[in-house]
């Protein structure tokens, strides 16, 4: 093997390593952003726990039951995630953008990956219809001028 061949092979390997390093850097940036979002949510939850922990016992019971959609009982059908009005009503409760997971929780459904993706799919259909706006971060909010029946 000549020096030129060895040098060519080394340069090929160097280019491959540079590409892999760049891919890993961008993946690390993505994970860092996800970690930051998770830590923000954790801080909010921690603050909420502190606030609720300071409430008098009677206020806790009232706050815990006020406006909560009860989980469906055995034999009862959960809220229909295909009903766009139902999804829009949930979004109308919030002043800002909401995660799909929160919409699933507000519908009183068990939070599973499948349900979250079903709701995300339905919300994206509402985006296409112009009733909902999706932010670059994957959050959803009502579009301006959207009227929700009963809301």
């Amino acid at each position: 093997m000549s020096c030129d061949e060895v040098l060519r092979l080394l340069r090929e390997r160097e280019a491959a390593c540079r590409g892999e390093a760049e891919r890993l850097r961008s993946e690390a940036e993505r994970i860092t952003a996800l970690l930051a979002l998770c830590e923000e949510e954790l801080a909010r939850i921690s603050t909420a726990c502190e606030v609720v922990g300071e409430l008098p016992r009677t206020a806790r019971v009232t706050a815990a039951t006020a406006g909560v959609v009860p989980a469906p009982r055995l034999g009862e059908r959960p809220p229909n995630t295909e009903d766009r009005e139902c999804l829009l009503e949930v979004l109308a409760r919030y002043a800002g953008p909401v995660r799909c997971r929160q919409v699933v929780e507000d519908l009183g459904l068990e939070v599973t990956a499948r349900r979250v993706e079903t709701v995300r799919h339905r919300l994206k259909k509402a985006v296409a219809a112009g009733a909902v706006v999706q932010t670059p971060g994957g959050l959803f909010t009502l579009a301006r001028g959207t009227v929700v029946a009963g809301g």
Side-chain angles (χ1 to χ4, degrees):
M1 203 178 234
S2 72
C3 282
D4 288 338
E5 290 175 11
V6 169
L7 189 56
R8 182 185 55 80
L9 290 173
L10 287 172
R11 286 192 177 136
E12 286 175 7
R13 183 66 183 144
E14 178 185 31
C17 285
R18 283 186 197 279
E20 181 67 5
E22 184 58 36
R23 185 190 69 77
L24 290 172
R25 276 188 207 99
S26 72
E27 183 69 11
E29 289 172 6
R30 185 185 71 80
I31 290 171
T32 300
L34 289 172
L35 179 60
L37 286 174
C38 186
E39 287 174 343
E40 286 174 16
E41 186 172 354
L42 182 60
R44 284 194 319 268
I45 291 170
S46 179
T47 301
C49 287
E50 289 174 18
V51 169
V52 170
E54 293 173 0
L55 293 174
R57 184 73 179 147
T58 55
R60 285 186 204 172
V61 173
T62 306
T65 58
V68 174
V69 178
R73 294 188 179 109
L74 289 176
E76 288 184 8
R77 290 189 59 196
N80 185 358
T81 58
E82 293 184 21
D83 181 9
R84 189 170 80 176
E85 279 303 311
C86 191
L87 296 176
L88 296 180
E89 286 174 13
V90 170
L91 291 179
R93 296 179 200 155
Y94 292 91
V98 182
R99 294 194 176 287
C100 290
R101 178 183 180 92
Q102 185 63 46
V103 175
V104 172
E105 289 173 359
D106 285 3
L107 288 171
L109 301 171
E110 179 184 354
V111 178
T112 63
R114 182 177 183 175
R115 288 223 170 95
V116 171
E117 288 307 313
T118 298
V119 167
R120 184 181 329 278
H121 176 74
R122 301 298 179 219
L123 287 171
K124 286 188 176 194
K125 281 186 167 184
V127 168
V132 174
V133 175
Q134 182 177 5
T135 65
L139 304 175
F140 295 88
T141 189
L142 282 180
R144 263 191 191 188
T146 299
V147 178
V148 179

